[in-house]
Amino acid sequence: MNMAAGSFFVLCLGLFGLVLVSGETCVGPKVTTDVYTSDNIFMSTETVFLTQFSLKCDNNAKDINLYAEVNGNVMPVTRSADNTKYQVSWSSEHKKAAAGVYKVNFMDEEGYSNFRKAQRSGGSTDIKPLFTIEINHKGAGREGLWVQTEFLAVVAALLIWWSANNVKSKIQDS
C-alpha cells in the first residue's frame, strides 16, 4: 500500500512538472514586427537579419516558446525579460544573402516537434507554421567610399613617411 501511494505521488509530481515546463499554445496570433537587414558591405563582414516582434494571442497565452525556421534551418526565438517582445536573428555571407523576400516561419513547441519528426523520417518538412514574417532584404551594396578605409590609412602613412624622409634628406644635404 505504501509503495502504491509513493508511485502515485511520483506520477502526479511528474505530470505537474510537465505542465509547468511546457509552454502554452497560442490561438489566433497577432504579430507586430520590426525588421532590420544590413545593407552595406563595408560596415560588416556578413549580412545580418534581425526581426523583433510582439505577439498577442486570442487566448491570452503568455509563456510561449517559439522556434523560427528559415530555409530549412531552425533556431530558437529569444524572449524579453518582461515577456512582451520576441527576437530572432541570423547572419549569412554577403554572397549567399541575395536580395529578395525571406520567409521566417514560426512554430510553437508542438510545431517544432512535428518539424523534427518530419526531418528524422525524411518526409516533407512543410509543417503549417503558427505565423510567418516576411523580411524584404534589398541586398548588401557598396555605399560610401570605393576603397576601404584601411587602404586610405596605409597610403596616408606612406605619404607622411615619404615627406618626412625627403625633409630629413634635404636637411642632411645642406
Side-chain angles (χ1 to χ4, degrees):
M1 182 73 176
N2 199 9
M3 182 72 153
S7 297
F8 179 73
F9 177 73
V10 169
L11 179 67
C12 288
L13 187 63
L15 289 175
F16 181 70
L18 184 63
V19 168
L20 286 178
V21 170
S22 66
E24 296 183 55
T25 300
C26 180
V27 176
K30 292 173 185 67
V31 181
T32 49
T33 64
D34 188 21
V35 298
Y36 168 80
T37 63
S38 55
D39 59 358
N40 193 330
I41 290 176
F42 294 118
M43 301 304 274
S44 60
T45 57
E46 292 186 324
T47 299
V48 175
F49 298 85
L50 173 92
T51 181
Q52 181 172 324
F53 59 94
S54 58
L55 175 65
K56 298 218 185 282
C57 303
D58 289 345
N59 61 341
N60 293 324
K62 299 282 183 202
D63 296 323
I64 305 166
N65 296 322
L66 295 175
Y67 298 89
E69 180 267 326
V70 181
N71 298 329
N73 297 322
V74 178
M75 60 205 91
V77 177
T78 58
R79 188 172 39 191
S80 65
D82 60 356
N83 289 335
T84 59
K85 294 201 181 267
Y86 294 85
Q87 183 177 0
V88 64
S89 62
W90 72 95
S91 64
S92 180
E93 293 178 22
H94 290 305
K95 292 178 184 177
K96 293 181 181 177
V101 176
Y102 289 80
K103 291 187 178 189
V104 185
N105 297 318
F106 290 88
M107 302 170 274
D108 56 7
E109 289 181 347
E110 182 181 344
Y112 177 66
S113 175
N114 292 337
F115 183 86
R116 295 293 294 161
K117 284 178 189 175
Q119 272 187 329
R120 282 192 299 269
S121 68
S124 173
T125 56
D126 291 336
I127 307 297
K128 185 176 187 286
L130 187 62
F131 59 92
T132 300
I133 295 176
E134 292 185 352
I135 298 177
N136 185 16
H137 176 57
K138 296 178 181 169
R142 296 180 181 265
E143 295 177 7
L145 300 173
W146 285 97
V147 293
Q148 293 191 4
T149 55
E150 294 88 349
F151 176 74
L152 293 177
V154 168
V155 169
L158 288 173
L159 284 173
I160 292 170
W161 174 82
W162 180 74
S163 298
N165 197 24
N166 277 346
V167 170
K168 178 184 168 190
S169 65
K170 285 181 184 179
I171 291 174
Q172 287 179 346
D173 288 343
S174 34

